[in-house]
Amino acid sequence: MDIEERMVRLIMGKSKLELWGGIIERLEGLGFRRVDGGYAIRYVVRSSKAVELAKRMLGDLVIKALIEDLAQLPDAEKLRRLNELMNMRVKPRGGSMVEVAGVRMNVHVNNNGTVELRAWLRDYGDAVRILEVLEDAGYETGLRLDGGDFEIYVGMYEIEKDKELTAKVCEALKRMHEETVSKG
């Protein structure tokens, strides 16, 4: 468990894959995704899904009490992290998103203060299809590799050209600002 990144991951050798088959199917049903890497396979669940998973795991009061008691032991770091993960507040999804030509994109403010709309896809073919949809709607877009994902972006100049899109982005920025102010 990685509390800072709000992530739960399971790493196993490829030799154990068949042995863990049933458990892996259940993990995928809980939102884990497979990441291959050399001799090991990782199953990862991130962000709100990790918090939701921890809450479900500790939803039974007896199990929660047991985990809290065991977390008091000096060598129970993973249990303490599980408990901490369960108590995290999850930011509601979609607060910083706008729809552009039927595509949901995140509003992102760069370090220099410019605004971009971004969408991430794992599959290159899907990314190209989304690019085509946006370009057919008249938006100039870009595609860049971001880790293992493909990031589609629409720059600030393109946002400013479309008054309706500008209004949507400003509304999303206002929601983001209000959420930040409410956190203190």
Side-chain angles (χ1 to χ4, degrees):
M1 268 177 278
D2 187 334
I3 298 303
E4 304 228 337
E5 296 214 15
R6 294 183 182 178
M7 172 184 5
V8 176
R9 74 185 151 215
L10 169 68
I11 301 172
M12 70 181 77
K14 287 187 177 182
S15 62
K16 304 281 189 207
L17 190 59
E18 201 170 304
L19 178 67
W20 284 64
I23 293 171
I24 289 170
E25 285 178 24
R26 288 182 61 200
L27 288 173
E28 289 171 345
L30 292 170
F32 279 78
R33 67 180 179 98
R34 179 179 171 154
V35 181
D36 285 335
Y39 295 104
I41 298 172
R42 294 182 304 160
Y43 284 88
V44 178
V45 65
R46 295 182 181 273
S47 195
S48 61
K49 287 183 182 179
V51 174
E52 180 185 326
L53 177 63
K55 285 181 179 180
R56 272 201 273 170
M57 289 169 64
L58 300 178
D60 184 333
L61 295 177
V62 174
I63 293 173
K64 182 179 179 182
L66 179 64
I67 296 294
E68 287 174 348
D69 288 345
L70 291 172
Q72 301 302 316
L73 296 170
D75 61 344
E77 183 60 31
K78 287 185 181 181
L79 294 176
R80 283 192 287 281
R81 285 189 272 164
L82 176 64
N83 212 12
E84 189 178 332
L85 185 64
M86 186 201 70
N87 292 319
M88 285 186 162
R89 185 179 149 272
V90 178
K91 185 169 78 171
R93 293 189 68 159
S96 64
M97 298 192 79
V98 296
E99 191 170 310
V100 184
V103 177
R104 303 249 320 143
M105 300 185 82
N106 277 324
V107 176
H108 179 80
V109 181
N110 292 318
N111 291 339
N112 62 4
T114 60
V115 175
E116 279 186 340
L117 297 177
R118 296 178 177 180
W120 292 268
L121 291 115
R122 289 188 184 98
D123 181 65
Y124 179 72
D126 291 341
V128 169
R129 280 188 287 284
I130 297 296
L131 274 175
E132 289 171 356
V133 166
L134 292 169
E135 288 174 355
D136 288 346
Y139 296 101
E140 197 173 304
T141 62
L143 177 67
R144 56 187 165 223
L145 193 58
D146 181 26
D149 297 333
F150 297 95
E151 180 184 75
I152 298 168
Y153 61 93
V154 175
M156 192 160 140
Y157 179 71
E158 286 297 307
I159 296 168
E160 290 173 338
K161 284 198 246 178
D162 182 340
K163 297 295 179 201
E164 187 179 320
L165 182 56
T166 300
K168 288 181 186 178
V169 170
C170 287
E171 186 61 35
L173 289 168
K174 180 181 173 187
R175 284 191 306 268
M176 292 163 65
H177 174 72
E178 288 169 354
E179 182 182 313
T180 303
V181 168
S182 73
K183 287 181 183 176

